[in-house]
Amino acid sequence: MPLRLLTLLAGLCLLAAGCGGTTPADVVPAEQEPSTAATSPPPRVDATTAEPAFGVLTELDEAWEQRDCTTIADLTAWAEKPLGGRACEGTRNGRPALYSDPVFFLPDEPGWFAALARKPSPAYFVFVFEDGRWRLGAGPIPARGEPVRPGETGVAADPDLATEAALVPQRHLTYLTDPAGVNGVRFPAGDPVRGLLAEILARPAQVRPDRLDIDVELVDGPARAVALSADSMLVFDVVRLTYRQRPKAGRTALKHPLDGVSPEGTELVELASVLSATKGLTTVGTRRGVAD
């Protein structure tokens, strides 16, 4: 090999920290990015896992007893986080009853399940899996009429009905923002959703001469539906009412402040509904609470 080529190779070896592969002291290796562990998918619930997950209510009861608002916030999600946080921070009272004697509604989708607690009085609960643990998402939602019972193990709803169940929140929103009923959404006589619409329409007149606007929207989150039979499903969703009350022109104070809601307050309405292929949509449980 020519001497000139040998000299060039020797120089390259020195620049590259030596032909033996030793890294020079003044060469700092590039910092490695920390590896991110794959997030485990939310679990699908069965009868053996629902019972301990229901134990979140016991943890919440202990937190309420100690007025531990931080723990209450950590054990709640979806609709219950703003409701529980507001109750704890704002009033520090209103500790919920400790519910027991549950039966479970186990959906095909992972990451959530529902329960009907039969004591001290029938009420529905929704539990969601978030950030590695089970949390209370909604409830207690007092049952209206005879409580709904879970379907048989392995029951599946008709696919068309399941598609319709996913649209239940939108049906609620459409009905509550369409007082003329031009979109054709209907609820049976005496249904709480009909009563809620009547209240929304009547409230502005009740506070006159004050001015009142009420916005209706859905709380973020998918429709949570579980089959009861081939032709019926139990569906949970949450509606948010946002109030904006202002004095009439020329006044600085409200004449008729809203009862229990601040002039720019928010109220959440938790709804449990049964969608039936033959009977349509019926509300089987409802709960209202001030969020801020």
Side-chain angles (χ1 to χ4, degrees):
M1 182 180 293
L3 179 60
R4 185 185 220 170
L5 184 55
L6 287 172
T7 302
L8 178 60
L9 289 173
L12 290 174
C13 283
L14 289 173
L15 290 174
C19 293
T22 304
T23 303
D26 59 348
V27 176
V28 179
E31 184 175 348
Q32 297 292 322
E33 291 290 334
S35 60
T36 302
T39 303
S40 58
R44 180 176 174 180
V45 186
D46 57 24
T48 60
T49 56
E51 186 73 42
F54 185 82
V56 168
L57 296 186
T58 300
E59 295 181 66
L60 274 169
D61 183 69
E62 294 171 355
W64 274 104
E65 183 179 15
Q66 300 168 10
R67 298 298 186 261
D68 184 349
C69 298
T70 300
T71 298
I72 290 171
D74 185 58
L75 294 174
T76 52
W78 197 30
E80 280 311 304
K81 186 175 287 292
L83 291 178
R86 196 266 183 183
C88 187
E89 296 288 356
T91 64
R92 292 188 171 271
N93 58 24
R95 177 184 177 189
L98 182 57
Y99 284 80
S100 62
D101 193 21
V103 291
F104 300 111
F105 301 87
L106 307 177
D108 290 332
E109 298 85 4
W112 79 279
F113 72 97
L116 169 68
R118 293 170 288 191
K119 296 179 180 179
S121 58
Y124 303 100
F125 294 83
V126 176
F127 297 87
V128 297
F129 193 82
E130 186 177 281
D131 295 332
R133 69 155 299 152
W134 288 103
R135 304 169 195 269
L136 177 62
I141 306 173
R144 177 176 176 268
E146 185 67 22
V148 176
R149 301 293 179 177
E152 296 180 2
T153 303
V155 66
D158 180 85
D160 290 340
L161 189 69
T163 300
E164 189 178 350
L167 301 176
V168 164
Q170 187 59 48
R171 289 180 65 177
H172 282 142
L173 181 63
T174 298
Y175 181 81
L176 294 173
T177 56
D178 176 32
V182 297
N183 284 296
V185 180
R186 300 286 185 270
F187 287 87
D191 192 279
V193 176
R194 290 186 64 165
L196 180 58
L197 176 59
E199 180 183 323
I200 291 171
L201 296 177
R203 268 196 160 182
Q206 292 169 352
V207 301
R208 287 175 184 161
D210 301 332
R211 294 172 294 174
L212 175 64
D213 296 319
I214 304 176
D215 293 334
V216 184
E217 58 187 342
L218 299 175
V219 173
D220 291 340
R224 293 183 163 94
V226 57
L228 302 173
S229 65
D231 60 0
S232 64
M233 299 190 75
L234 177 62
V235 186
F236 298 93
D237 65 300
V238 183
V239 172
R240 179 188 293 112
L241 306 178
T242 302
Y243 301 92
R244 293 194 304 277
Q245 185 179 9
R246 305 174 304 284
K248 75 171 185 177
R251 292 182 60 92
T252 58
L254 295 173
K255 182 73 172 177
H256 301 292
L258 291 170
D259 185 22
V261 183
S262 64
E264 294 188 0
T266 301
E267 189 177 18
L268 299 186
V269 184
E270 300 175 346
L271 295 165
S273 311
V274 168
L275 178 64
S276 167
T278 57
K279 298 180 181 179
L281 189 61
T282 304
T283 306
V284 297
T286 182
R287 175 188 176 210
R288 296 174 64 168
V290 176
D292 55 30

mmCIF file with all atom_site columns, all heavy atoms in Angstrom, residues 70-97:
data_model
loop_
_atom_site.group_PDB
_atom_site.id
_atom_site.type_symbol
_atom_site.label_atom_id
_atom_site.label_alt_id
_atom_site.label_comp_id
_atom_site.label_asym_id
_atom_site.label_entity_id
_atom_site.label_seq_id
_atom_site.pdbx_PDB_ins_code
_atom_site.Cartn_x
_atom_site.Cartn_y
_atom_site.Cartn_z
_atom_site.occupancy
_atom_site.B_iso_or_equiv
_atom_site.pdbx_formal_charge
_atom_site.auth_seq_id
_atom_site.auth_comp_id
_atom_site.auth_asym_id
_atom_site.auth_atom_id
_atom_site.pdbx_PDB_model_num
ATOM 1   N N   . THR A 1 70 ? -58.826 17.062 47.339 1.00 0.00 ? 70 THR A N   1
ATOM 2   C CA  . THR A 1 70 ? -57.847 16.594 46.365 1.00 0.00 ? 70 THR A CA  1
ATOM 3   C C   . THR A 1 70 ? -58.112 15.145 45.980 1.00 0.00 ? 70 THR A C   1
ATOM 4   O O   . THR A 1 70 ? -58.085 14.774 44.804 1.00 0.00 ? 70 THR A O   1
ATOM 5   C CB  . THR A 1 70 ? -56.424 16.740 46.932 1.00 0.00 ? 70 THR A CB  1
ATOM 6   O OG1 . THR A 1 70 ? -56.173 18.118 47.220 1.00 0.00 ? 70 THR A OG1 1
ATOM 7   C CG2 . THR A 1 70 ? -55.389 16.230 45.932 1.00 0.00 ? 70 THR A CG2 1
ATOM 8   N N   . THR A 1 71 ? -58.381 14.314 46.978 1.00 0.00 ? 71 THR A N   1
ATOM 9   C CA  . THR A 1 71 ? -58.671 12.908 46.700 1.00 0.00 ? 71 THR A CA  1
ATOM 10  C C   . THR A 1 71 ? -59.986 12.754 45.960 1.00 0.00 ? 71 THR A C   1
ATOM 11  O O   . THR A 1 71 ? -60.115 11.929 45.052 1.00 0.00 ? 71 THR A O   1
ATOM 12  C CB  . THR A 1 71 ? -58.695 12.101 47.999 1.00 0.00 ? 71 THR A CB  1
ATOM 13  O OG1 . THR A 1 71 ? -57.402 12.176 48.613 1.00 0.00 ? 71 THR A OG1 1
ATOM 14  C CG2 . THR A 1 71 ? -59.037 10.638 47.744 1.00 0.00 ? 71 THR A CG2 1
ATOM 15  N N   . ILE A 1 72 ? -60.992 13.560 46.316 1.00 0.00 ? 72 ILE A N   1
ATOM 16  C CA  . ILE A 1 72 ? -62.272 13.506 45.611 1.00 0.00 ? 72 ILE A CA  1
ATOM 17  C C   . ILE A 1 72 ? -62.068 13.814 44.132 1.00 0.00 ? 72 ILE A C   1
ATOM 18  O O   . ILE A 1 72 ? -62.607 13.131 43.256 1.00 0.00 ? 72 ILE A O   1
ATOM 19  C CB  . ILE A 1 72 ? -63.275 14.480 46.253 1.00 0.00 ? 72 ILE A CB  1
ATOM 20  C CG1 . ILE A 1 72 ? -63.685 13.969 47.641 1.00 0.00 ? 72 ILE A CG1 1
ATOM 21  C CG2 . ILE A 1 72 ? -64.512 14.654 45.369 1.00 0.00 ? 72 ILE A CG2 1
ATOM 22  C CD1 . ILE A 1 72 ? -64.503 14.953 48.439 1.00 0.00 ? 72 ILE A CD1 1
ATOM 23  N N   . ALA A 1 73 ? -61.257 14.825 43.845 1.00 0.00 ? 73 ALA A N   1
ATOM 24  C CA  . ALA A 1 73 ? -60.975 15.166 42.447 1.00 0.00 ? 73 ALA A CA  1
ATOM 25  C C   . ALA A 1 73 ? -60.243 14.033 41.743 1.00 0.00 ? 73 ALA A C   1
ATOM 26  O O   . ALA A 1 73 ? -60.486 13.751 40.563 1.00 0.00 ? 73 ALA A O   1
ATOM 27  C CB  . ALA A 1 73 ? -60.158 16.453 42.377 1.00 0.00 ? 73 ALA A CB  1
ATOM 28  N N   . ASP A 1 74 ? -59.347 13.344 42.466 1.00 0.00 ? 74 ASP A N   1
ATOM 29  C CA  . ASP A 1 74 ? -58.564 12.268 41.855 1.00 0.00 ? 74 ASP A CA  1
ATOM 30  C C   . ASP A 1 74 ? -59.405 11.030 41.583 1.00 0.00 ? 74 ASP A C   1
ATOM 31  O O   . ASP A 1 74 ? -59.105 10.259 40.667 1.00 0.00 ? 74 ASP A O   1
ATOM 32  C CB  . ASP A 1 74 ? -57.398 11.904 42.786 1.00 0.00 ? 74 ASP A CB  1
ATOM 33  C CG  . ASP A 1 74 ? -56.483 10.869 42.162 1.00 0.00 ? 74 ASP A CG  1
ATOM 34  O OD1 . ASP A 1 74 ? -55.943 11.128 41.070 1.00 0.00 ? 74 ASP A OD1 1
ATOM 35  O OD2 . ASP A 1 74 ? -56.315 9.780  42.765 1.00 0.00 ? 74 ASP A OD2 1
ATOM 36  N N   . LEU A 1 75 ? -60.456 10.823 42.361 1.00 0.00 ? 75 LEU A N   1
ATOM 37  C CA  . LEU A 1 75 ? -61.276 9.624  42.221 1.00 0.00 ? 75 LEU A CA  1
ATOM 38  C C   . LEU A 1 75 ? -62.455 9.820  41.273 1.00 0.00 ? 75 LEU A C   1
ATOM 39  O O   . LEU A 1 75 ? -63.261 8.906  41.101 1.00 0.00 ? 75 LEU A O   1
ATOM 40  C CB  . LEU A 1 75 ? -61.797 9.175  43.589 1.00 0.00 ? 75 LEU A CB  1
ATOM 41  C CG  . LEU A 1 75 ? -60.743 8.690  44.591 1.00 0.00 ? 75 LEU A CG  1
ATOM 42  C CD1 . LEU A 1 75 ? -61.383 8.425  45.947 1.00 0.00 ? 75 LEU A CD1 1
ATOM 43  C CD2 . LEU A 1 75 ? -60.039 7.443  44.077 1.00 0.00 ? 75 LEU A CD2 1
ATOM 44  N N   . THR A 1 76 ? -62.566 11.010 40.684 1.00 0.00 ? 76 THR A N   1
ATOM 45  C CA  . THR A 1 76 ? -63.697 11.293 39.812 1.00 0.00 ? 76 THR A CA  1
ATOM 46  C C   . THR A 1 76 ? -63.224 11.691 38.420 1.00 0.00 ? 76 THR A C   1
ATOM 47  O O   . THR A 1 76 ? -62.085 12.116 38.225 1.00 0.00 ? 76 THR A O   1
ATOM 48  C CB  . THR A 1 76 ? -64.577 12.414 40.394 1.00 0.00 ? 76 THR A CB  1
ATOM 49  O OG1 . THR A 1 76 ? -63.758 13.549 40.710 1.00 0.00 ? 76 THR A OG1 1
ATOM 50  C CG2 . THR A 1 76 ? -65.293 11.956 41.649 1.00 0.00 ? 76 THR A CG2 1
ATOM 51  N N   . ALA A 1 77 ? -64.122 11.561 37.464 1.00 0.00 ? 77 ALA A N   1
ATOM 52  C CA  . ALA A 1 77 ? -63.830 11.913 36.074 1.00 0.00 ? 77 ALA A CA  1
ATOM 53  C C   . ALA A 1 77 ? -65.133 12.322 35.401 1.00 0.00 ? 77 ALA A C   1
ATOM 54  O O   . ALA A 1 77 ? -66.198 12.340 36.035 1.00 0.00 ? 77 ALA A O   1
ATOM 55  C CB  . ALA A 1 77 ? -63.194 10.720 35.340 1.00 0.00 ? 77 ALA A CB  1
ATOM 56  N N   . TRP A 1 78 ? -65.046 12.688 34.131 1.00 0.00 ? 78 TRP A N   1
ATOM 57  C CA  . TRP A 1 78 ? -66.199 13.024 33.301 1.00 0.00 ? 78 TRP A CA  1
ATOM 58  C C   . TRP A 1 78 ? -67.092 14.032 34.032 1.00 0.00 ? 78 TRP A C   1
ATOM 59  O O   . TRP A 1 78 ? -66.633 15.105 34.404 1.00 0.00 ? 78 TRP A O   1
ATOM 60  C CB  . TRP A 1 78 ? -66.943 11.742 32.919 1.00 0.00 ? 78 TRP A CB  1
ATOM 61  C CG  . TRP A 1 78 ? -67.889 11.880 31.764 1.00 0.00 ? 78 TRP A CG  1
ATOM 62  C CD1 . TRP A 1 78 ? -67.792 12.737 30.707 1.00 0.00 ? 78 TRP A CD1 1
ATOM 63  C CD2 . TRP A 1 78 ? -69.091 11.120 31.558 1.00 0.00 ? 78 TRP A CD2 1
ATOM 64  N NE1 . TRP A 1 78 ? -68.843 12.555 29.850 1.00 0.00 ? 78 TRP A NE1 1
ATOM 65  C CE2 . TRP A 1 78 ? -69.661 11.569 30.339 1.00 0.00 ? 78 TRP A CE2 1
ATOM 66  C CE3 . TRP A 1 78 ? -69.736 10.114 32.259 1.00 0.00 ? 78 TRP A CE3 1
ATOM 67  C CZ2 . TRP A 1 78 ? -70.847 11.053 29.821 1.00 0.00 ? 78 TRP A CZ2 1
ATOM 68  C CZ3 . TRP A 1 78 ? -70.911 9.590  31.742 1.00 0.00 ? 78 TRP A CZ3 1
ATOM 69  C CH2 . TRP A 1 78 ? -71.464 10.037 30.539 1.00 0.00 ? 78 TRP A CH2 1
ATOM 70  N N   . ALA A 1 79 ? -68.354 13.726 34.266 1.00 0.00 ? 79 ALA A N   1
ATOM 71  C CA  . ALA A 1 79 ? -69.278 14.693 34.875 1.00 0.00 ? 79 ALA A CA  1
ATOM 72  C C   . ALA A 1 79 ? -69.030 14.866 36.366 1.00 0.00 ? 79 ALA A C   1
ATOM 73  O O   . ALA A 1 79 ? -69.275 15.939 36.925 1.00 0.00 ? 79 ALA A O   1
ATOM 74  C CB  . ALA A 1 79 ? -70.719 14.257 34.635 1.00 0.00 ? 79 ALA A CB  1
ATOM 75  N N   . GLU A 1 80 ? -68.550 13.817 37.035 1.00 0.00 ? 80 GLU A N   1
ATOM 76  C CA  . GLU A 1 80 ? -68.448 13.895 38.494 1.00 0.00 ? 80 GLU A CA  1
ATOM 77  C C   . GLU A 1 80 ? -67.311 14.776 38.976 1.00 0.00 ? 80 GLU A C   1
ATOM 78  O O   . GLU A 1 80 ? -67.362 15.294 40.087 1.00 0.00 ? 80 GLU A O   1
ATOM 79  C CB  . GLU A 1 80 ? -68.293 12.489 39.088 1.00 0.00 ? 80 GLU A CB  1
ATOM 80  C CG  . GLU A 1 80 ? -69.578 11.731 39.200 1.00 0.00 ? 80 GLU A CG  1
ATOM 81  C CD  . GLU A 1 80 ? -70.687 12.540 39.856 1.00 0.00 ? 80 GLU A CD  1
ATOM 82  O OE1 . GLU A 1 80 ? -70.496 13.035 40.989 1.00 0.00 ? 80 GLU A OE1 1
ATOM 83  O OE2 . GLU A 1 80 ? -71.743 12.690 39.232 1.00 0.00 ? 80 GLU A OE2 1
ATOM 84  N N   . LYS A 1 81 ? -66.276 14.961 38.174 1.00 0.00 ? 81 LYS A N   1
ATOM 85  C CA  . LYS A 1 81 ? -65.159 15.782 38.636 1.00 0.00 ? 81 LYS A CA  1
ATOM 86  C C   . LYS A 1 81 ? -65.598 17.222 38.910 1.00 0.00 ? 81 LYS A C   1
ATOM 87  O O   . LYS A 1 81 ? -65.340 17.748 40.005 1.00 0.00 ? 81 LYS A O   1
ATOM 88  C CB  . LYS A 1 81 ? -64.006 15.747 37.637 1.00 0.00 ? 81 LYS A CB  1
ATOM 89  C CG  . LYS A 1 81 ? -62.762 16.471 38.140 1.00 0.00 ? 81 LYS A CG  1
ATOM 90  C CD  . LYS A 1 81 ? -61.614 16.323 37.187 1.00 0.00 ? 81 LYS A CD  1
ATOM 91  C CE  . LYS A 1 81 ? -61.016 14.937 37.212 1.00 0.00 ? 81 LYS A CE  1
ATOM 92  N NZ  . LYS A 1 81 ? -60.325 14.621 38.490 1.00 0.00 ? 81 LYS A NZ  1
ATOM 93  N N   . PRO A 1 82 ? -66.273 17.919 37.979 1.00 0.00 ? 82 PRO A N   1
ATOM 94  C CA  . PRO A 1 82 ? -66.713 19.282 38.320 1.00 0.00 ? 82 PRO A CA  1
ATOM 95  C C   . PRO A 1 82 ? -67.806 19.321 39.384 1.00 0.00 ? 82 PRO A C   1
ATOM 96  O O   . PRO A 1 82 ? -67.845 20.249 40.196 1.00 0.00 ? 82 PRO A O   1
ATOM 97  C CB  . PRO A 1 82 ? -67.215 19.849 36.979 1.00 0.00 ? 82 PRO A CB  1
ATOM 98  C CG  . PRO A 1 82 ? -67.541 18.648 36.141 1.00 0.00 ? 82 PRO A CG  1
ATOM 99  C CD  . PRO A 1 82 ? -66.554 17.601 36.555 1.00 0.00 ? 82 PRO A CD  1
ATOM 100 N N   . LEU A 1 83 ? -68.668 18.313 39.420 1.00 0.00 ? 83 LEU A N   1
ATOM 101 C CA  . LEU A 1 83 ? -69.734 18.313 40.428 1.00 0.00 ? 83 LEU A CA  1
ATOM 102 C C   . LEU A 1 83 ? -69.178 18.079 41.826 1.00 0.00 ? 83 LEU A C   1
ATOM 103 O O   . LEU A 1 83 ? -69.491 18.802 42.768 1.00 0.00 ? 83 LEU A O   1
ATOM 104 C CB  . LEU A 1 83 ? -70.778 17.252 40.084 1.00 0.00 ? 83 LEU A CB  1
ATOM 105 C CG  . LEU A 1 83 ? -71.643 17.520 38.849 1.00 0.00 ? 83 LEU A CG  1
ATOM 106 C CD1 . LEU A 1 83 ? -72.593 16.348 38.611 1.00 0.00 ? 83 LEU A CD1 1
ATOM 107 C CD2 . LEU A 1 83 ? -72.432 18.812 39.009 1.00 0.00 ? 83 LEU A CD2 1
ATOM 108 N N   . GLY A 1 84 ? -68.340 17.060 41.973 1.00 0.00 ? 84 GLY A N   1
ATOM 109 C CA  . GLY A 1 84 ? -67.770 16.763 43.283 1.00 0.00 ? 84 GLY A CA  1
ATOM 110 C C   . GLY A 1 84 ? -66.819 17.839 43.755 1.00 0.00 ? 84 GLY A C   1
ATOM 111 O O   . GLY A 1 84 ? -66.804 18.202 44.937 1.00 0.00 ? 84 GLY A O   1
ATOM 112 N N   . GLY A 1 85 ? -66.020 18.377 42.827 1.00 0.00 ? 85 GLY A N   1
ATOM 113 C CA  . GLY A 1 85 ? -65.088 19.431 43.203 1.00 0.00 ? 85 GLY A CA  1
ATOM 114 C C   . GLY A 1 85 ? -65.792 20.673 43.676 1.00 0.00 ? 85 GLY A C   1
ATOM 115 O O   . GLY A 1 85 ? -65.413 21.293 44.679 1.00 0.00 ? 85 GLY A O   1
ATOM 116 N N   . ARG A 1 86 ? -66.856 21.043 42.984 1.00 0.00 ? 86 ARG A N   1
ATOM 117 C CA  . ARG A 1 86 ? -67.601 22.239 43.363 1.00 0.00 ? 86 ARG A CA  1
ATOM 118 C C   . ARG A 1 86 ? -68.251 22.040 44.725 1.00 0.00 ? 86 ARG A C   1
ATOM 119 O O   . ARG A 1 86 ? -68.221 22.923 45.579 1.00 0.00 ? 86 ARG A O   1
ATOM 120 C CB  . ARG A 1 86 ? -68.658 22.535 42.297 1.00 0.00 ? 86 ARG A CB  1
ATOM 121 C CG  . ARG A 1 86 ? -69.242 23.948 42.378 1.00 0.00 ? 86 ARG A CG  1
ATOM 122 C CD  . ARG A 1 86 ? -70.511 23.993 43.182 1.00 0.00 ? 86 ARG A CD  1
ATOM 123 N NE  . ARG A 1 86 ? -71.088 25.343 43.179 1.00 0.00 ? 86 ARG A NE  1
ATOM 124 C CZ  . ARG A 1 86 ? -72.170 25.688 43.848 1.00 0.00 ? 86 ARG A CZ  1
ATOM 125 N NH1 . ARG A 1 86 ? -72.797 24.791 44.599 1.00 0.00 ? 86 ARG A NH1 1
ATOM 126 N NH2 . ARG A 1 86 ? -72.637 26.914 43.814 1.00 0.00 ? 86 ARG A NH2 1
ATOM 127 N N   . ALA A 1 87 ? -68.831 20.878 44.946 1.00 0.00 ? 87 ALA A N   1
ATOM 128 C CA  . ALA A 1 87 ? -69.492 20.617 46.219 1.00 0.00 ? 87 ALA A CA  1
ATOM 129 C C   . ALA A 1 87 ? -68.500 20.635 47.373 1.00 0.00 ? 87 ALA A C   1
ATOM 130 O O   . ALA A 1 87 ? -68.786 21.174 48.449 1.00 0.00 ? 87 ALA A O   1
ATOM 131 C CB  . ALA A 1 87 ? -70.217 19.276 46.165 1.00 0.00 ? 87 ALA A CB  1
ATOM 132 N N   . CYS A 1 88 ? -67.311 20.067 47.158 1.00 0.00 ? 88 CYS A N   1
ATOM 133 C CA  . CYS A 1 88 ? -66.334 19.986 48.237 1.00 0.00 ? 88 CYS A CA  1
ATOM 134 C C   . CYS A 1 88 ? -65.694 21.343 48.508 1.00 0.00 ? 88 CYS A C   1
ATOM 135 O O   . CYS A 1 88 ? -65.633 21.802 49.644 1.00 0.00 ? 88 CYS A O   1
ATOM 136 C CB  . CYS A 1 88 ? -65.263 18.953 47.886 1.00 0.00 ? 88 CYS A CB  1
ATOM 137 S SG  . CYS A 1 88 ? -64.104 18.619 49.233 1.00 0.00 ? 88 CYS A SG  1
ATOM 138 N N   . GLU A 1 89 ? -65.234 22.012 47.459 1.00 0.00 ? 89 GLU A N   1
ATOM 139 C CA  . GLU A 1 89 ? -64.552 23.277 47.640 1.00 0.00 ? 89 GLU A CA  1
ATOM 140 C C   . GLU A 1 89 ? -65.513 24.395 48.030 1.00 0.00 ? 89 GLU A C   1
ATOM 141 O O   . GLU A 1 89 ? -65.179 25.266 48.833 1.00 0.00 ? 89 GLU A O   1
ATOM 142 C CB  . GLU A 1 89 ? -63.824 23.670 46.342 1.00 0.00 ? 89 GLU A CB  1
ATOM 143 C CG  . GLU A 1 89 ? -62.710 22.722 45.941 1.00 0.00 ? 89 GLU A CG  1
ATOM 144 C CD  . GLU A 1 89 ? -61.499 22.824 46.846 1.00 0.00 ? 89 GLU A CD  1
ATOM 145 O OE1 . GLU A 1 89 ? -61.490 23.694 47.741 1.00 0.00 ? 89 GLU A OE1 1
ATOM 146 O OE2 . GLU A 1 89 ? -60.557 22.044 46.652 1.00 0.00 ? 89 GLU A OE2 1
ATOM 147 N N   . GLY A 1 90 ? -66.713 24.378 47.452 1.00 0.00 ? 90 GLY A N   1
ATOM 148 C CA  . GLY A 1 90 ? -67.613 25.496 47.667 1.00 0.00 ? 90 GLY A CA  1
ATOM 149 C C   . GLY A 1 90 ? -68.406 25.419 48.953 1.00 0.00 ? 90 GLY A C   1
ATOM 150 O O   . GLY A 1 90 ? -68.543 26.400 49.677 1.00 0.00 ? 90 GLY A O   1
ATOM 151 N N   . THR A 1 91 ? -68.924 24.242 49.266 1.00 0.00 ? 91 THR A N   1
ATOM 152 C CA  . THR A 1 91 ? -69.813 24.150 50.422 1.00 0.00 ? 91 THR A CA  1
ATOM 153 C C   . THR A 1 91 ? -69.285 23.245 51.529 1.00 0.00 ? 91 THR A C   1
ATOM 154 O O   . THR A 1 91 ? -69.679 23.371 52.677 1.00 0.00 ? 91 THR A O   1
ATOM 155 C CB  . THR A 1 91 ? -71.182 23.601 49.988 1.00 0.00 ? 91 THR A CB  1
ATOM 156 O OG1 . THR A 1 91 ? -71.021 22.262 49.502 1.00 0.00 ? 91 THR A OG1 1
ATOM 157 C CG2 . THR A 1 91 ? -71.787 24.440 48.886 1.00 0.00 ? 91 THR A CG2 1
ATOM 158 N N   . ARG A 1 92 ? -68.401 22.336 51.148 1.00 0.00 ? 92 ARG A N   1
ATOM 159 C CA  . ARG A 1 92 ? -67.847 21.379 52.108 1.00 0.00 ? 92 ARG A CA  1
ATOM 160 C C   . ARG A 1 92 ? -68.935 20.636 52.882 1.00 0.00 ? 92 ARG A C   1
ATOM 161 O O   . ARG A 1 92 ? -68.833 20.366 54.077 1.00 0.00 ? 92 ARG A O   1
ATOM 162 C CB  . ARG A 1 92 ? -66.868 22.058 53.076 1.00 0.00 ? 92 ARG A CB  1
ATOM 163 C CG  . ARG A 1 92 ? -65.609 22.524 52.375 1.00 0.00 ? 92 ARG A CG  1
ATOM 164 C CD  . ARG A 1 92 ? -64.558 23.018 53.337 1.00 0.00 ? 92 ARG A CD  1
ATOM 165 N NE  . ARG A 1 92 ? -63.301 23.244 52.633 1.00 0.00 ? 92 ARG A NE  1
ATOM 166 C CZ  . ARG A 1 92 ? -62.353 22.317 52.455 1.00 0.00 ? 92 ARG A CZ  1
ATOM 167 N NH1 . ARG A 1 92 ? -62.531 21.109 52.939 1.00 0.00 ? 92 ARG A NH1 1
ATOM 168 N NH2 . ARG A 1 92 ? -61.254 22.597 51.804 1.00 0.00 ? 92 ARG A NH2 1
ATOM 169 N N   . ASN A 1 93 ? -70.012 20.347 52.188 1.00 0.00 ? 93 ASN A N   1
ATOM 170 C CA  . ASN A 1 93 ? -71.048 19.523 52.806 1.00 0.00 ? 93 ASN A CA  1
ATOM 171 C C   . ASN A 1 93 ? -71.728 18.735 51.701 1.00 0.00 ? 93 ASN A C   1
ATOM 172 O O   . ASN A 1 93 ? -71.234 18.668 50.580 1.00 0.00 ? 93 ASN A O   1
ATOM 173 C CB  . ASN A 1 93 ? -72.050 20.375 53.597 1.00 0.00 ? 93 ASN A CB  1
ATOM 174 C CG  . ASN A 1 93 ? -72.725 21.419 52.723 1.00 0.00 ? 93 ASN A CG  1
ATOM 175 O OD1 . ASN A 1 93 ? -72.804 21.263 51.511 1.00 0.00 ? 93 ASN A OD1 1
ATOM 176 N ND2 . ASN A 1 93 ? -73.202 22.477 53.334 1.00 0.00 ? 93 ASN A ND2 1
ATOM 177 N N   . GLY A 1 94 ? -72.843 18.166 52.002 1.00 0.00 ? 94 GLY A N   1
ATOM 178 C CA  . GLY A 1 94 ? -73.537 17.384 50.988 1.00 0.00 ? 94 GLY A CA  1
ATOM 179 C C   . GLY A 1 94 ? -72.884 16.050 50.713 1.00 0.00 ? 94 GLY A C   1
ATOM 180 O O   . GLY A 1 94 ? -72.898 15.569 49.587 1.00 0.00 ? 94 GLY A O   1
ATOM 181 N N   . ARG A 1 95 ? -72.305 15.440 51.732 1.00 0.00 ? 95 ARG A N   1
ATOM 182 C CA  . ARG A 1 95 ? -71.659 14.139 51.549 1.00 0.00 ? 95 ARG A CA  1
ATOM 183 C C   . ARG A 1 95 ? -72.673 13.128 51.030 1.00 0.00 ? 95 ARG A C   1
ATOM 184 O O   . ARG A 1 95 ? -73.726 12.920 51.628 1.00 0.00 ? 95 ARG A O   1
ATOM 185 C CB  . ARG A 1 95 ? -71.083 13.677 52.889 1.00 0.00 ? 95 ARG A CB  1
ATOM 186 C CG  . ARG A 1 95 ? -70.439 12.299 52.851 1.00 0.00 ? 95 ARG A CG  1
ATOM 187 C CD  . ARG A 1 95 ? -69.998 11.919 54.257 1.00 0.00 ? 95 ARG A CD  1
ATOM 188 N NE  . ARG A 1 95 ? -69.446 10.580 54.320 1.00 0.00 ? 95 ARG A NE  1
ATOM 189 C CZ  . ARG A 1 95 ? -69.150 9.962  55.464 1.00 0.00 ? 95 ARG A CZ  1
ATOM 190 N NH1 . ARG A 1 95 ? -69.353 10.587 56.610 1.00 0.00 ? 95 ARG A NH1 1
ATOM 191 N NH2 . ARG A 1 95 ? -68.660 8.740  55.458 1.00 0.00 ? 95 ARG A NH2 1
ATOM 192 N N   . PRO A 1 96 ? -72.383 12.479 49.896 1.00 0.00 ? 96 PRO A N   1
ATOM 193 C CA  . PRO A 1 96 ? -73.333 11.514 49.333 1.00 0.00 ? 96 PRO A CA  1
ATOM 194 C C   . PRO A 1 96 ? -73.502 10.298 50.243 1.00 0.00 ? 96 PRO A C   1
ATOM 195 O O   . PRO A 1 96 ? -72.631 9.963  51.043 1.00 0.00 ? 96 PRO A O   1
ATOM 196 C CB  . PRO A 1 96 ? -72.686 11.115 47.998 1.00 0.00 ? 96 PRO A CB  1
ATOM 197 C CG  . PRO A 1 96 ? -71.642 12.150 47.728 1.00 0.00 ? 96 PRO A CG  1
ATOM 198 C CD  . PRO A 1 96 ? -71.189 12.638 49.064 1.00 0.00 ? 96 PRO A CD  1
ATOM 199 N N   . ALA A 1 97 ? -74.640 9.651  50.095 1.00 0.00 ? 97 ALA A N   1
ATOM 200 C CA  . ALA A 1 97 ? -74.841 8.391  50.813 1.00 0.00 ? 97 ALA A CA  1
ATOM 201 C C   . ALA A 1 97 ? -73.903 7.334  50.255 1.00 0.00 ? 97 ALA A C   1
ATOM 202 O O   . ALA A 1 97 ? -73.469 7.407  49.098 1.00 0.00 ? 97 ALA A O   1
ATOM 203 C CB  . ALA A 1 97 ? -76.291 7.945  50.665 1.00 0.00 ? 97 ALA A CB  1
#
